[in-house]
Coordinates of all heavy atoms in Angstrom, one line a residue:
K1 N -53.6 -95.1 -169.8 CA -54.0 -95.6 -168.4 C -55.5 -95.5 -168.3 O -56.2 -94.7 -168.9 CB -53.3 -94.7 -167.4 CG -51.8 -94.8 -167.3 CD -51.3 -94.1 -166.2 CE -49.8 -94.3 -166.1 NZ -49.2 -93.5 -164.9
V2 N -56.0 -96.3 -167.4 CA -57.4 -96.2 -166.9 C -57.4 -95.6 -165.5 O -56.6 -96.1 -164.7 CB -58.0 -97.6 -166.9 CG1 -59.4 -97.6 -166.2 CG2 -58.2 -98.2 -168.3
I3 N -58.2 -94.6 -165.4 CA -58.3 -93.9 -164.1 C -59.6 -94.5 -163.4 O -60.7 -94.4 -164.1 CB -58.4 -92.4 -164.2 CG1 -57.1 -91.9 -164.9 CG2 -58.5 -91.8 -162.8 CD1 -57.2 -90.4 -165.2
Y4 N -59.5 -95.1 -162.3 CA -60.7 -95.6 -161.6 C -61.3 -94.6 -160.7 O -60.7 -93.8 -160.1 CB -60.3 -96.9 -160.8 CG -59.7 -97.9 -161.7 CD1 -58.3 -98.2 -161.6 CD2 -60.4 -98.7 -162.5 CE1 -57.7 -99.1 -162.4 CE2 -59.8 -99.6 -163.3 CZ -58.5 -99.9 -163.3 OH -57.9 -100.8 -164.1
G5 N -62.7 -94.6 -160.7 CA -63.4 -93.6 -159.9 C -64.9 -94.0 -159.8 O -65.3 -95.1 -160.1
V6 N -65.6 -93.0 -159.3 CA -67.1 -93.3 -159.1 C -67.8 -91.9 -159.1 O -67.2 -90.9 -158.7 CB -67.3 -94.0 -157.7 CG1 -67.0 -93.1 -156.6 CG2 -68.7 -94.5 -157.7
E7 N -69.0 -91.9 -159.6 CA -69.8 -90.7 -159.3 C -70.7 -91.0 -158.1 O -71.6 -91.8 -158.2 CB -70.7 -90.4 -160.5 CG -71.5 -89.1 -160.3 CD -72.2 -88.6 -161.6 OE1 -72.1 -89.3 -162.7 OE2 -72.9 -87.6 -161.5
A8 N -70.3 -90.4 -157.0 CA -70.8 -90.8 -155.7 C -72.0 -89.9 -155.4 O -72.2 -88.8 -155.9 CB -69.8 -90.6 -154.6
Y9 N -72.8 -90.5 -154.4 CA -74.0 -89.7 -153.9 C -73.5 -89.2 -152.5 O -73.5 -90.0 -151.5 CB -75.2 -90.6 -153.7 CG -75.7 -91.1 -155.1 CD1 -75.4 -92.4 -155.5 CD2 -76.5 -90.3 -155.9 CE1 -75.8 -92.9 -156.7 CE2 -77.0 -90.8 -157.1 CZ -76.6 -92.1 -157.5 OH -77.1 -92.6 -158.7
I10 N -73.1 -88.0 -152.4 CA -72.6 -87.4 -151.1 C -73.7 -86.8 -150.3 O -74.5 -86.1 -150.8 CB -71.5 -86.4 -151.4 CG1 -70.3 -87.0 -152.3 CG2 -70.9 -85.8 -150.1 CD1 -69.6 -88.1 -151.6
V11 N -73.6 -87.1 -149.0 CA -74.6 -86.5 -148.0 C -73.8 -85.7 -147.0 O -72.8 -86.2 -146.4 CB -75.4 -87.6 -147.3 CG1 -76.3 -86.9 -146.2 CG2 -76.2 -88.4 -148.3
D12 N -74.1 -84.4 -146.9 CA -73.4 -83.5 -145.9 C -74.0 -83.8 -144.5 O -74.9 -83.1 -144.1 CB -73.6 -82.1 -146.4 CG -72.7 -81.1 -145.5 OD1 -72.0 -81.6 -144.7 OD2 -72.8 -79.9 -145.8
D13 N -73.4 -84.7 -143.8 CA -73.8 -85.0 -142.5 C -73.0 -84.1 -141.5 O -73.3 -84.3 -140.2 CB -73.6 -86.5 -142.1 CG -72.1 -86.9 -142.2 OD1 -71.4 -86.4 -143.1 OD2 -71.7 -87.7 -141.4
L14 N -72.2 -83.3 -141.9 CA -71.4 -82.4 -141.1 C -72.1 -81.0 -140.9 O -71.7 -80.2 -140.1 CB -70.0 -82.1 -141.6 CG -69.1 -83.4 -141.8 CD1 -67.8 -83.0 -142.4 CD2 -68.9 -84.0 -140.4
K15 N -73.2 -80.8 -141.7 CA -73.9 -79.5 -141.6 C -74.7 -79.5 -140.4 O -75.5 -80.4 -140.0 CB -74.8 -79.4 -142.9 CG -75.6 -78.1 -142.9 CD -76.4 -78.0 -144.2 CE -77.4 -79.1 -144.3 NZ -78.2 -79.0 -145.6
D16 N -74.6 -78.4 -139.6 CA -75.4 -78.2 -138.4 C -76.9 -78.0 -138.7 O -77.2 -77.4 -139.7 CB -74.9 -76.9 -137.7 CG -73.5 -77.1 -137.0 OD1 -73.1 -78.3 -136.8 OD2 -72.8 -76.1 -136.8
I17 N -77.7 -78.5 -137.8 CA -79.1 -78.3 -138.0 C -79.5 -76.9 -137.7 O -80.3 -76.2 -138.4 CB -79.9 -79.3 -137.0 CG1 -79.7 -80.7 -137.5 CG2 -81.4 -78.9 -137.1 CD1 -80.3 -81.7 -136.6
A18 N -78.8 -76.3 -136.7 CA -78.9 -74.9 -136.3 C -77.6 -74.2 -136.8 O -76.6 -74.3 -136.2 CB -79.1 -74.7 -134.8
L19 N -77.8 -73.5 -137.9 CA -76.6 -72.8 -138.5 C -76.2 -71.6 -137.7 O -77.1 -70.8 -137.3 CB -76.9 -72.4 -139.9 CG -77.2 -73.6 -140.9 CD1 -77.5 -73.0 -142.3 CD2 -76.0 -74.5 -141.0
R20 N -75.0 -71.4 -137.4 CA -74.4 -70.3 -136.7 C -75.1 -70.1 -135.3 O -75.5 -68.9 -135.0 CB -74.6 -69.0 -137.5 CG -73.8 -69.1 -138.9 CD -73.9 -67.8 -139.7 NE -75.3 -67.7 -140.2 CZ -75.7 -68.2 -141.3 NH1 -74.9 -68.9 -142.1 NH2 -76.9 -68.0 -141.8
E21 N -75.3 -71.1 -134.6 CA -75.9 -71.0 -133.3 C -75.1 -70.2 -132.3 O -73.8 -70.2 -132.4 CB -76.2 -72.4 -132.7 CG -75.0 -73.3 -132.4 CD -74.4 -73.0 -131.0 OE1 -75.1 -72.4 -130.2 OE2 -73.3 -73.4 -130.8
K22 N -75.7 -69.5 -131.4 CA -75.0 -68.6 -130.5 C -75.4 -68.9 -129.1 O -75.5 -68.0 -128.2 CB -75.3 -67.1 -130.9 CG -75.0 -66.7 -132.3 CD -75.4 -65.3 -132.6 CE -75.1 -64.9 -134.0 NZ -76.1 -65.5 -134.9
G23 N -75.6 -70.1 -128.8 CA -75.9 -70.5 -127.4 C -77.4 -70.4 -127.1 O -77.7 -70.4 -125.9
Q24 N -78.3 -70.2 -128.0 CA -79.7 -70.0 -127.7 C -80.3 -71.3 -127.2 O -79.9 -72.4 -127.5 CB -80.5 -69.6 -129.0 CG -80.0 -68.3 -129.6 CD -79.1 -68.4 -130.8 OE1 -78.2 -69.4 -130.7 NE2 -79.1 -67.6 -131.7
D25 N -81.3 -71.1 -126.3 CA -82.1 -72.2 -125.9 C -83.5 -72.1 -126.4 O -83.8 -71.1 -127.2 CB -82.1 -72.4 -124.4 CG -82.7 -71.1 -123.7 OD1 -83.6 -70.5 -124.2 OD2 -82.3 -70.8 -122.5
Y26 N -84.5 -73.0 -126.1 CA -85.8 -73.0 -126.7 C -86.7 -72.0 -126.1 O -87.9 -71.9 -126.5 CB -86.4 -74.4 -126.7 CG -85.5 -75.3 -127.5 CD1 -85.0 -76.4 -127.0 CD2 -85.3 -75.1 -128.9 CE1 -84.2 -77.3 -127.8 CE2 -84.6 -75.9 -129.7 CZ -84.0 -77.0 -129.1 OH -83.3 -77.9 -129.9
D27 N -86.3 -71.2 -125.1 CA -87.1 -70.1 -124.6 C -86.8 -68.8 -125.2 O -87.5 -67.8 -125.0 CB -86.9 -69.9 -123.0 CG -87.5 -71.1 -122.3 OD1 -88.4 -71.7 -122.8 OD2 -87.0 -71.4 -121.1
D28 N -85.8 -68.8 -126.1 CA -85.5 -67.5 -126.9 C -86.5 -67.3 -128.0 O -87.5 -68.0 -128.1 CB -84.1 -67.7 -127.5 CG -83.0 -67.5 -126.4 OD1 -83.1 -66.5 -125.6 OD2 -82.1 -68.3 -126.4
T29 N -86.3 -66.2 -128.7 CA -87.2 -65.8 -129.8 C -86.9 -66.4 -131.1 O -85.8 -66.4 -131.5 CB -87.2 -64.2 -129.9 OG1 -87.5 -63.6 -128.7 CG2 -88.2 -63.8 -131.0
Y30 N -88.0 -67.0 -131.7 CA -87.8 -67.7 -133.0 C -88.8 -67.1 -134.0 O -90.0 -66.9 -133.7 CB -88.1 -69.2 -132.9 CG -87.0 -69.9 -132.0 CD1 -87.1 -69.9 -130.6 CD2 -85.9 -70.5 -132.7 CE1 -86.1 -70.5 -129.9 CE2 -85.0 -71.2 -131.9 CZ -85.0 -71.1 -130.5 OH -84.1 -71.8 -129.8
I31 N -88.3 -66.7 -135.1 CA -89.2 -66.1 -136.2 C -89.4 -67.2 -137.3 O -88.5 -67.5 -138.0 CB -88.5 -64.9 -136.8 CG1 -88.1 -63.9 -135.7 CG2 -89.5 -64.2 -137.8 CD1 -89.3 -63.4 -134.8
V32 N -90.6 -67.8 -137.3 CA -90.9 -68.8 -138.2 C -91.5 -68.1 -139.5 O -92.6 -67.4 -139.3 CB -91.9 -69.8 -137.7 CG1 -92.1 -71.0 -138.6 CG2 -91.3 -70.4 -136.3
F33 N -90.9 -68.2 -140.6 CA -91.4 -67.4 -141.7 C -91.4 -68.2 -143.0 O -90.8 -69.3 -143.2 CB -90.5 -66.1 -141.9 CG -89.2 -66.3 -142.6 CD1 -89.0 -65.9 -143.9 CD2 -88.2 -67.0 -142.0 CE1 -87.8 -66.1 -144.5 CE2 -87.0 -67.2 -142.6 CZ -86.8 -66.7 -143.9
D34 N -92.1 -67.6 -144.0 CA -92.2 -68.2 -145.3 C -92.4 -67.1 -146.4 O -92.9 -66.0 -146.1 CB -93.4 -69.2 -145.4 CG -93.5 -69.9 -146.8 OD1 -92.7 -70.8 -147.0 OD2 -94.4 -69.5 -147.6
L35 N -91.8 -67.4 -147.6 CA -91.9 -66.4 -148.7 C -92.6 -67.0 -149.8 O -92.5 -68.2 -150.1 CB -90.5 -65.9 -149.1 CG -89.5 -65.4 -148.1 CD1 -88.2 -65.0 -148.8 CD2 -90.1 -64.1 -147.4
E36 N -93.3 -66.2 -150.6 CA -93.7 -66.5 -151.9 C -92.9 -65.7 -152.9 O -92.8 -64.5 -152.7 CB -95.2 -66.3 -152.1 CG -96.1 -67.2 -151.2 CD -95.9 -68.7 -151.3 OE1 -95.4 -69.1 -152.3 OE2 -96.1 -69.4 -150.2
T37 N -92.5 -66.2 -154.0 CA -91.6 -65.5 -154.9 C -92.0 -65.8 -156.4 O -92.9 -66.6 -156.6 CB -90.1 -66.0 -154.8 OG1 -90.0 -67.4 -155.2 CG2 -89.7 -65.8 -153.3
T38 N -91.4 -65.0 -157.3 CA -91.8 -65.2 -158.7 C -91.0 -66.3 -159.3 O -91.1 -66.6 -160.5 CB -91.5 -63.9 -159.5 OG1 -90.1 -63.6 -159.4 CG2 -92.3 -62.8 -159.0
G39 N -90.1 -67.0 -158.6 CA -89.3 -68.1 -159.1 C -88.3 -68.6 -158.1 O -88.4 -68.2 -156.9
F40 N -87.4 -69.4 -158.5 CA -86.5 -70.1 -157.6 C -85.1 -69.4 -157.4 O -84.4 -69.8 -156.5 CB -86.2 -71.5 -158.1 CG -87.5 -72.4 -158.1 CD1 -88.0 -72.8 -159.4 CD2 -88.1 -72.7 -157.0 CE1 -89.1 -73.6 -159.4 CE2 -89.3 -73.5 -157.0 CZ -89.8 -73.9 -158.3
S41 N -84.8 -68.4 -158.2 CA -83.5 -67.7 -158.1 C -83.6 -66.5 -157.2 O -84.4 -65.5 -157.5 CB -83.0 -67.4 -159.5 OG -81.8 -66.6 -159.4

């Protein structure tokens, strides 16, 4: 048999922009941060 398929390019459009939001508004506290590391892992 031949199994038909595709190697697709999937985009996760279901992912929230604000992960695990708890009802915050834009007057709440936001910690904008950045790290430098020795590598990617």
Side-chain angles (χ1 to χ4, degrees):
K1 292 186 178 181
V2 172
I3 303 174
Y4 301 105
V6 68
E7 183 168 359
Y9 300 97
I10 302 296
V11 176
D12 188 1
D13 62 326
L14 299 177
K15 181 176 65 176
D16 289 335
I17 296 177
L19 298 178
R20 298 180 292 272
E21 63 86 16
K22 304 179 183 69
Q24 298 97 327
D25 60 30
Y26 296 121
D27 289 338
D28 284 315
T29 300
Y30 293 81
I31 309 300
V32 187
F33 79 108
D34 183 73
L35 305 179
E36 300 302 334
T37 66
T38 60
F40 298 112
S41 172

